[in-house]
């Protein structure tokens, strides 16, 4: 195992930060590494907004479900899918033609481009000794986040990411056994099911240890509970209003 | 700059491979690194299918727009968004309740989970001296790819990824100036537009050099041409048939 793979294998989400600044240069280095990730046909259909202003971070904390680490981290990144650059290019060069920014395909392109860049940035940040945590809560109140950050049409917040020097050393959460997520030659549902049963025991034990016996819900029960509660049900109409996913 | 950041900054897509095998153990190491990426509420809503069978790879090449490197690479990974594990958990534990796998929110979760894992895997592969290229063409004929790989309901191919030892050393494609993709505190459209003008010149020069003067189309013109052609227009109905994006 080389140093890079060790770094990847050692990832854990960090939600408590030391009182040490993250510099503008560090953010630029981290985002530069993000930019080098692959992009579908070089469209680079994402924008990241780096928020350091305490008032702005505090408002974002409110909008993301009161996760205090958003206000506490020195830099909060908001990763956005962004088709507005492409749309402007089409309006400028081919104004007479219909353009197709609103397709599901282009929504996938923008979302994946943002995610690939963000994960490269996360790896770069961790290589510099920083810790990160992804914030899906940025989608809790998408419209208000959009207004706060001034996101125009065809730009949407996919997830946030806190950046800061770690002031905690949390244990690592076990992942699904590899047989669940890696299949050879074709999809093998039974292999996945057996792996989930195994994982249920591992995760129950992990929770039991972490909570001094107070919790031991198997993973598949947590997943069932998650799936029967509608989450962020506004996303479809929000995204359509932003110009995405119309076809 | 540390070794990991150097590795990230040195990325280029590889489409020609040496005649050297990629072992099962290497794939397992690479996917293990993928598994350590963050996942929304630990749902791990993705599955990757490693294809090594020459006949299967050849069929995938046909289905992905005849990109020969798909048949030529020793291992072809198909990264899938996968909500079927969650759906099974709900059916097993809470069969009496309605579940919400079909929301746009859950589609984003599955797509992002697949992308974060894949990018970690790409970085791990490159750290082992392998080369990769993402294959968006896996979405060209999604239904046939699904049938070939036996993908059940609530599993969809997001992108492919060729893996192999590089047998080429392509130049690195310049990315957008950082001002286009990194904004501070809030979204700044004008900053993006100025950066695109600058990039148009850089990319025209890059193409001119690469093609001995035959091509020099500015990036924004390429983007405009891309956007006025509908691409993979089947994605919405394909995904809905697979159980995604109904709400």
């Amino acid at each position: 195992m080389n140093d890079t793979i060790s770094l990847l294998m050692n990832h854990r989400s960090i939600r408590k930060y030391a009182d040490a600044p993250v510099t503008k240069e560090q953010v630029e280095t981290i985002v530069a590494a993000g930019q080098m990730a692959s992009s579908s046909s070089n469209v680079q259909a994402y924008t990241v907004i780096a928020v350091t202003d305490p008032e702005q971070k505090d408002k974002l904390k409110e909008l993301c479900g009161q996760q205090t680490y958003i206000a506490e981290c020195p830099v909060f990144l908001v990763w956005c899918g962004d088709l507005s650059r492409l749309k402007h290019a089409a309006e400028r060069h081919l104004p007479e033609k219909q353009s197709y920014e609103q397709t599901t395909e282009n929504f996938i392109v923008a979302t994946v481009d943002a995610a690939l860049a963000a994960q490269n940035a996360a790896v770069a940040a961790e290589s510099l000794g920083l810790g990160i945590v992804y914030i899906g809560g940025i989608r809790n109140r998408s419209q208000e986040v959009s207004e706060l950050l001034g996101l125009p049409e065809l730009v949407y917040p996919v997830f946030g990411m806190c950046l800061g020097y770690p002031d905690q050393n949390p244990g690592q959460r076990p992942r699904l056994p590899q047989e669940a997520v890696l299949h050879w030659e074709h999809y093998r549902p039974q292999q996945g099911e057996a792996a989930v049963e195994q994982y249920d025991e591992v995760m129950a034990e992990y929770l039991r240890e972490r909570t001094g016996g107070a919790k031991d819900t198997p993973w598949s029960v947590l997943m069932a509970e998650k799936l029967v509660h509608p989450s962020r049900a506004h996303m479809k109409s929000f995204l359509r209003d932003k110009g995405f996913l119309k076809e």
Side-chain angles (χ1 to χ4, degrees), chain A residues 17-27 52 72-75 128 130 163-165:
Chain A
Y17 310 97
D19 188 19
V22 173
T23 66
K24 188 165 183 285
E25 289 66 34
Q26 283 177 313
V27 174
T52 61
E72 289 160 7
C73 68
V75 179
L128 293 170
L130 295 165
L163 274 186
Y165 284 97

Side-chain angles (χ1 to χ4, degrees), chain A residues 37-78:
Chain A
S38 295
S39 160
S40 176
S41 303
N42 198 31
V43 299
Q44 303 170 74
Y46 66 94
T47 293
V48 55
I49 301 173
V51 181
T52 61
D53 178 65
E55 218 173 290
Q56 193 85 331
K57 278 191 294 165
D58 212 55
K59 285 183 193 156
L60 285 164
K61 181 200 78 175
E62 298 283 322
L63 297 176
C64 297
Q66 301 292 349
Q67 300 178 68
T68 51
Y69 26 99
I70 295 170
E72 289 160 7
C73 68
V75 179
F76 184 61
L77 300 178
V78 182

Side-chain angles (χ1 to χ4, degrees), chain A residues 182-194:
Chain A
L182 172 58
H183 300 192
W184 289 86
E185 308 306 339
H186 57 83
Y187 196 91
R188 298 170 190 273
Q190 279 145 346
Q191 182 179 311
E193 282 164 34

Side-chain angles (χ1 to χ4, degrees), chain A residues 30-31 33-35 37-38 46 79 112-122 134:
Chain A
I30 288 164
V31 172
Q35 290 189 255
S38 295
Y46 66 94
W79 293 91
V112 168
D113 267 15
L116 301 186
Q119 187 54 24
N120 252 20
Y134 278 88

